[in-house]
Amino acid sequence: MTGAGDDIVAGADGGLVGGSAKRGDGGGERPVWSRDFALFFVARAVARLGDTMLPVALAAGLLEHGYGAGAVGLAMASTAAAFAGLVVFGGVIADRFSTRKLMIGADLVRLGTQSLAAAVFFTGHVVLWEICAIGFVNGVAGAVFQPGVASTVPRLASDIQGANGAIRIAESAAQLAGPAVAGLLVGFTSPGGVFAAHAATYAVSALCLLLLRLPPLAPGSRSPGHGTGAFKADLVEGWREFRARTWLWGVIAVWCLYMIAVSGPTTPLVATQVVQQHGPRAYGLINSALGAGTVVGGLLALRLRPRRMLRAGAIALFAFAGFPATVGAGLGVPAMAAGAAVAGVGMSFWGVMWATSVQTQVPPDVLNRIHAYDVAGSLAMMPVGQALAGPAAAVLGTGQVLLVAGAMSLVVPVALLLVPAIRGLIRADVIAVGPNAPNAPSGAPMGDRTCPQKS
């Protein structure tokens, strides 16, 4: 979730999927920091740097060429729609082929698309459908790339929460720098310069992944079949594993509301509102404040080890309301930056809690597909929210829509906390020590207490 960030741990079937104990891949305990994790760390940080520059480039570039908030929303929605619609298939592909090679290929495709976008903006021949088409191809490449991220982290480090926290901090630091750099590039060059820099970040990410050496998969990991029938069977198995975990699909169901009412409209409307009223540099500053907050949230996630991770993460989500609310209320840039910083803390902490829960509660042989269903469900409604942002702002006003988004930011964590399977999920390393261990719930099944133990 996007989104989207991440001790003996037991999978939903009771098998070990990571942790401080030796794993079944023949390797022993692996610390967070190693050569290979550092390469993955840099790849994620640099790619995130480019991604956080993109909204500034789209908003400034399209506004410069006479388009409005609706066009910015459609451009963002084209990428999100392709990503959300195809990531489930990407998850099946990731379980059948080398995830590293798939991620490298996806990075190279996006290197090409963003180079093309840079050329379009440099020449000044900007047509909305062309920008949307480029965004769609980006979304397809992202759908192939993203499922492999979830399964890569447990293969590189034993302390999965620590690894997710470190990656979250890196991505947050990139978010801190990215919008400010984008604002400067727009001011001193043009939006095309931002797209060129974005393309370069994918080149760096691909190089880091090329140098990465992943440890072998655990003995006994399934060897997927071949052909259309096997592909469909993999899809069905992934859906069955996803549906069997109430905490998992419960979060995704609530997140659909979040995407329609909060994240979808917030991203394009905040960009448009701030750029129009205060300029691209102010928007870069506000997004940098958001990045600073997410760094703090990542640091908190490194130190705090709550027994009920999703409950703690949901409580942290209340902090996000300050971001759309301060912009919608028309407060000054310092107040908007403060609201963004607080929002970043909450969202970052939730991201680590969520990613770690998925990576430690789900067996490794279905993790790519489960993560794909997670991402698809999480983002399915984002293009809807983005596409509706412009029309809603035209009818109600941008400020009013953002105030509604702020109010809905408070509804979402309440909904999460009302679901027993979500608020009561025990972290996997606590359950893995056995029913007689301190604080272990008597008779609680692994992973999801609402589901029967699998044989």
Side-chain angles (χ1 to χ4, degrees):
M1 227 175 223
T2 173
D6 302 3
D7 338 304
I8 300 172
V9 268
D13 59 356
L16 294 177
V17 300
S20 301
K22 291 186 178 181
R23 295 173 55 133
D25 58 7
E29 185 176 318
R30 295 180 308 285
V32 169
W33 288 105
S34 63
R35 170 194 174 275
D36 293 315
F37 180 76
L39 285 168
F40 187 69
F41 178 90
V42 171
R44 298 306 303 140
V46 172
R48 183 61 178 164
L49 177 68
D51 291 341
T52 57
M53 295 164 63
L54 186 58
V56 180
L58 279 175
L62 291 175
L63 290 172
E64 180 182 293
H65 287 84
Y67 295 100
V72 177
L74 284 174
M76 293 181 178
S78 64
T79 300
F83 182 86
L86 298 174
V87 71
V88 169
F89 301 99
V92 176
I93 294 171
D95 272 334
R96 298 165 69 88
F97 300 101
S98 165
T99 55
R100 186 178 69 93
K101 292 179 180 178
L102 289 171
M103 290 190 287
I104 292 170
D107 274 342
L108 293 177
V109 169
R110 289 181 289 187
L111 167 62
T113 57
Q114 294 311 90
S115 298
L116 177 60
V120 167
F121 278 97
F122 275 133
T123 60
H125 182 69
V126 177
V127 180
L128 181 59
W129 76 263
E130 294 177 349
I131 301 302
C132 290
I134 291 172
F136 185 88
V137 176
N138 269 346
V140 174
V144 174
F145 183 99
Q146 185 61 37
V149 173
S151 62
T152 299
V153 173
R155 291 174 69 181
L156 292 176
S158 297
D159 181 2
I160 298 176
Q161 182 178 334
N164 281 318
I167 291 172
R168 174 67 63 170
I169 291 170
E171 293 177 340
S172 301
Q175 185 163 339
L176 178 63
V181 172
L184 290 173
L185 286 173
V186 169
F188 289 105
T189 59
S190 73
V194 184
F195 282 99
H198 191 196
T201 63
Y202 286 125
V204 173
S205 175
L207 178 60
C208 289
L209 294 172
L210 182 65
L211 298 174
L212 179 67
R213 294 193 301 268
L214 286 175
L217 290 169
S221 294
R222 68 180 190 87
S223 178
H226 299 283
T228 304
F231 191 91
K232 290 180 179 179
D234 288 344
L235 276 176
V236 171
E237 182 186 9
W239 173 250
R240 185 169 59 247
E241 294 283 350
F242 175 81
R243 191 179 59 182
R245 294 165 175 83
T246 305
W247 61 271
L248 185 61
W249 62 257
V251 169
I252 301 307
V254 174
W255 218 250
C256 289
L257 171 65
Y258 176 84
M259 288 298 171
I260 293 176
V262 182
S263 184
T266 293
T267 303
L269 293 185
V270 166
T272 304
Q273 181 95 331
V274 175
V275 169
Q276 286 179 335
Q277 294 185 357
H278 304 281
R281 294 187 185 183
Y283 180 63
L285 174 64
I286 290 169
N287 268 280
S288 294
L290 181 68
T294 53
V295 169
V296 174
L299 290 171
L300 288 175
L302 280 175
R303 296 185 60 85
L304 302 179
R305 305 275 171 152
R307 186 166 180 261
R308 290 179 171 84
M309 301 177 74
L310 296 185
R311 182 175 68 178
I315 292 171
L317 274 179
F318 281 105
F320 188 80
F323 186 29
T326 53
V327 179
L331 302 182
V333 173
M336 290 188 286
V342 173
V345 174
M347 183 57 70
S348 179
F349 188 81
W350 160 263
V352 175
M353 296 300 104
W354 171 250
T356 304
S357 295
V358 173
Q359 292 166 359
T360 57
Q361 301 277 0
V362 175
D365 59 338
V366 293
L367 181 54
N368 288 325
R369 281 168 289 163
I370 289 289
H371 180 60
Y373 277 109
D374 159 23
V375 173
S378 299
L379 299 181
M381 295 296 106
M382 176 178 275
V384 176
Q386 290 177 331
L388 293 177
V395 174
L396 302 175
T398 300
Q400 293 300 316
V401 175
L402 288 173
L403 288 175
V404 170
M408 294 304 297
S409 298
L410 301 176
V411 173
V412 166
V414 169
L416 291 172
L417 292 170
L418 287 176
V419 180
I422 296 173
R423 69 171 185 267
L425 183 71
I426 307 295
R427 62 182 300 130
D429 53 342
V430 172
I431 298 176
V433 297
N436 297 322
N439 299 323
S442 176
M446 301 288 187
D448 186 348
R449 292 181 296 167
T450 65
C451 302
Q453 188 85 336
K454 297 198 300 179
S455 59

